[in-house]
């Protein structure tokens, strides 16, 4: 009892410290940094981390399991498995599809996976890391997503899967991609790292794929500092994901648990002796990609604010879109038809015929302390790491090249104020008025 009282006193001091340690939030144009992304953390988040530390929950534990359950329910999936990053979640999701447990459906070296060239590398890297071949298709300007028609054109005799991301939270036509996958008996991995809370045809993104992934890096909708998640409603795939995340072991006991199946010393697997300890039987060539309970504790307090965060992202995007509407020389973003994005960023393409360049506009904004980012890799096939990698391109990558040369984005994350957004709008309009 005394220990619990001491803990609560400490946690109240932590909350008090958080309130007292808050920096000056007054906005000074041209001086205050306007970040393109970032975490929004309150006293509940700080207290949750400290409480987990006080309880010495240094590995995955009750907070991690509770988060997995609540997050799966929130996103309408049966199972969620925490990982140490969104990149690991992508690696784990695609690697799971190579499992011998899938028998004839498993992905094998040389099989093709359709993806887009204009994205982030960790959507594509797992394809190559598993000895598979990426098939690149282009995207539309404005939505920055590909179309079902492009994907259909790319399907060939060795195509076995589709893996792509919702660009900056703007959904690709996931329902139509799902239909194509079913029609051609392809696996579908939905990278939802930028799109938590987005809707397409009234349905949450992350619910269309055989597997979907999420990132909890500070730039994303929810944060654990680092962290990610693989979600699915296919229990057989969920079992493979768990095994491959946890060293490839066959046992499903949580750390610190033993013999939940009541058959720990009764199995005979592979060519092992009968009764070999099931805790040390390995059915996959796996990894250790687990998260910690400190991350789970932070994730729980962040999850309680997800709807509020998504609303703020939508509101901030609309303010920028309205304020910049009609600005000459700029192609402004558009939501994919039938979608309601929970935006990750506000993407702008400078018209190649404009009298100014992206570089000049970005330099002007950065000089005003307005943070910018490029649309990730642009055309990924042009980067040194991928020049000699096996791949196939279908239909050309003209728009991906335009993105490489002319596109960037600014922030919409919940930590931005109306005053900051209005300053971004005024700065872009001022630049264009002078240079356009």
């Amino acid at each position: 009892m005394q220990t619990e009282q001491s803990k609560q006193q400490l946690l109240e001091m932590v909350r008090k410290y958080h309130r007292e340690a808050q920096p000056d939030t007054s906005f000074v144009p041209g001086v205050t940094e306007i970040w393109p992304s970032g975490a929004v953390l309150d006293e509940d988040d700080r207290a949750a981390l400290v409480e987990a530390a006080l309880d010495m929950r240094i590995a995955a534990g009750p907070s991690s399991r509770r988060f997995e359950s609540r997050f799966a329910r929130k996103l309408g999936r049966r199972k969620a498995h925490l990982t140490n990053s969104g990149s690991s979640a992508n690696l784990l999701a695609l690697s799971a599809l190579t499992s011998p447990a899938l028998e004839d459906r498993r992905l094998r070296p040389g099989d093709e996976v359709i993806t887009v060239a204009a994205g982030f590398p960790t959507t594509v890297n797992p394809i190559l890391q598993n000895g598979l071949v990426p098939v690149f298709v282009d995207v539309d300007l404005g939505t920055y997503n590909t179309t079902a028609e492009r994907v259909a054109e790319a399907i060939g005799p060795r195509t076995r899967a589709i893996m792509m991301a919702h660009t900056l939270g703007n959904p690709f036509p996931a329902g139509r991609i799902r239909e194509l996958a079913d029609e051609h008996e392809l696996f579908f991995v939905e990278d939802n790292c930028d799109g938590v809370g987005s809707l397409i045809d009234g349905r949450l993104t992350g619910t269309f794929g055989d597997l979907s992934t999420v990132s909890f890096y500070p730039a994303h909708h929810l944060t654990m500092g680092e962290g990610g998640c693989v979600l699915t409603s296919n229990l057989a795939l969920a079992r493979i994901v768990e095994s491959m995340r946890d060293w490839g072991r066959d046992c499903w006991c949580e750390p610190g648990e033993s013999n939940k199946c009541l058959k720990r010393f009764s199995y005979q697997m592979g060519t092992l002796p009968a009764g070999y300890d099931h805790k040390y039987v390995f059915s996959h060539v796996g990894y250790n990609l687990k998260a910690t309970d400190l991350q789970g504790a932070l994730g729980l307090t962040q999850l309680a604010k997800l709807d509020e965060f998504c609303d703020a992202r939508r509101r901030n995007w609309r303010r920028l879109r309205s304020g910049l509407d009609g600005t000459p020389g700029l192609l402004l973003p558009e939501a994919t038809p039938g979608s309601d994005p929970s935006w990750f960023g506000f993407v702008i393409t400078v018209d190649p015929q404009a009298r100014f360049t992206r570089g000049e506009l970005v330099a002007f904004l950065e000089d005003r302390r307005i943070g910018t980012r490029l649309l990730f890799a642009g055309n990924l096939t042009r980067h040194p790491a991928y020049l000699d990698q096996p791949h196939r391109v279908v239909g050309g990558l003209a728009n991906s090249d335009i993105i490489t040369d002319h596109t960037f984005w600014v922030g919409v994350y919940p930590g931005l104020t109306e005053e900051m957004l209005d300053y971004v709008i005024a700065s872009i309009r001022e630049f264009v008025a002078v240079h356009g």
Side-chain angles (χ1 to χ4, degrees):
M1 184 64 178
Q2 184 61 43
T3 302
E4 181 61 25
Q5 288 178 347
S6 297
K7 183 170 79 170
Q8 294 306 317
Q9 289 172 352
L10 278 169
L11 293 177
E12 184 50 44
M13 291 177 65
V14 168
R15 291 176 179 279
K16 182 174 183 290
Y17 169 82
H18 180 91
R19 293 190 293 268
E20 293 175 348
Q22 290 306 294
D24 180 13
T25 57
S26 58
F27 176 64
V28 181
V31 176
T32 305
E33 189 83 29
I34 301 177
W35 292 99
S37 61
V40 176
L41 301 164
D42 61 18
E43 63 183 75
D44 291 337
D45 299 316
R46 193 184 294 267
L49 280 172
V50 172
E51 183 175 13
L54 289 173
D55 292 341
M56 297 295 282
R57 300 200 305 265
I58 57 176
S63 291
S64 299
R65 291 192 292 273
R66 194 154 54 245
F67 178 86
E68 288 173 334
S69 176
R70 292 181 185 177
F71 194 59
R73 195 179 314 123
K74 182 73 173 176
L75 267 64
R77 307 254 78 180
R78 295 181 70 182
K79 288 288 186 179
H81 289 93
L82 274 177
T83 64
N84 57 7
S85 73
S87 301
S88 293
N90 279 347
L91 174 62
L92 187 57
L94 195 64
S95 297
L97 302 180
T98 70
S99 169
L102 297 175
E103 299 178 339
D104 290 343
R105 285 208 71 196
R106 67 182 290 197
L107 303 186
R108 299 176 183 274
D111 286 345
E112 293 182 345
V113 181
I114 297 172
T115 190
V116 301
F120 198 76
T122 56
T123 309
V124 174
N125 290 350
I127 302 171
L128 295 167
Q129 288 159 341
N130 278 286
L132 307 168
V133 178
V135 177
F136 292 108
V137 296
D138 210 358
V139 300
D140 286 344
L141 298 177
T143 67
Y144 302 93
N145 284 304
T146 195
T147 62
E149 290 74 19
R150 288 193 183 95
V151 173
E153 184 185 357
I155 295 173
R158 295 219 62 176
T159 305
R160 295 292 181 270
I162 302 166
M163 183 172 182
M164 58 183 64
H166 299 289
T167 305
L168 291 180
N170 197 16
F172 58 76
R176 296 180 65 195
I177 300 299
R178 174 75 269 172
E179 290 172 359
L180 278 175
D182 291 340
E183 179 184 346
H184 295 274
E185 297 184 331
L186 309 177
F187 286 114
F188 177 22
V189 180
E190 190 180 358
D191 183 335
N192 198 35
C193 289
D194 289 354
V196 174
S198 293
L199 297 163
I200 179 77
D201 297 325
R203 180 173 165 183
L204 281 171
T205 57
T207 63
F208 294 86
D210 297 289
L211 296 155
S212 63
T213 60
V214 172
S215 173
F216 301 121
Y217 188 70
H220 290 275
H221 289 63
L222 302 176
T223 188
M224 296 180 182
E226 295 284 355
C229 199
V230 180
L231 300 102
T232 185
S233 289
N234 183 316
L235 296 184
L237 288 178
R239 180 70 193 97
I240 295 168
V241 166
E242 183 178 41
S243 173
M244 296 190 78
R245 180 194 66 176
D246 299 357
W247 307 286
R249 65 179 185 161
D250 198 73
C251 176
W252 57 84
C253 288
E254 296 286 346
E257 295 178 345
S258 296
N259 206 25
K260 288 188 70 175
C261 64
L262 303 179
K263 297 190 295 183
R264 177 179 170 188
F265 297 105
S266 302
Y267 290 95
Q268 201 289 307
M269 303 184 72
T271 60
L272 293 168
Y276 197 85
D277 188 348
H278 190 229
K279 289 178 72 69
Y280 294 99
V281 174
F282 298 89
S283 52
H284 291 95
V285 179
Y287 307 91
N288 178 4
L289 302 177
K290 298 187 302 299
T292 69
D293 225 43
L294 273 78
Q295 291 169 285
L298 178 56
L300 284 168
T301 54
Q302 284 273 294
L303 183 57
K305 298 182 278 281
L306 177 58
D307 292 343
E308 174 188 341
F309 287 163
C310 292
D311 287 345
R313 287 176 175 275
R314 290 182 171 101
R315 186 169 58 248
N316 291 345
W317 187 92
R318 288 195 299 267
R319 193 175 190 90
L320 287 172
R321 187 64 177 77
S322 175
L324 292 172
D325 191 41
T327 307
L330 301 181
L331 174 65
L332 300 182
E334 298 288 348
T336 302
S339 75
D340 181 13
S342 175
W343 295 95
F344 185 79
F346 187 91
V347 62
I348 297 170
T349 295
V350 175
D351 188 328
Q353 304 304 315
R355 295 183 180 180
F356 54 89
T357 66
R358 176 187 65 188
E360 291 169 337
L361 176 53
V362 164
F364 178 82
L365 296 176
E366 292 283 347
D367 188 58
R368 291 194 166 200
R369 309 287 285 173
I370 298 170
T372 65
R373 295 291 185 269
L374 300 186
L375 187 48
F376 307 133
N379 184 346
L380 199 62
T381 68
R382 294 169 59 180
H383 288 254
Y386 304 95
L387 292 178
D388 297 323
Q389 295 290 344
H391 68 275
R392 191 160 64 87
V393 174
V394 176
L397 299 174
N399 288 340
S400 296
D401 283 332
I402 290 173
I403 290 168
T404 306
D405 294 331
H406 301 286
T407 301
F408 72 101
W409 58 274
V410 295
V412 298
Y413 83 103
L416 300 178
T417 66
E418 291 183 355
E419 192 177 10
M420 291 175 174
L421 295 168
D422 289 344
Y423 181 65
V424 173
I425 294 167
S427 296
I428 292 174
R429 282 195 167 278
E430 177 184 332
F431 175 88
V432 173
V434 171
H435 296 81

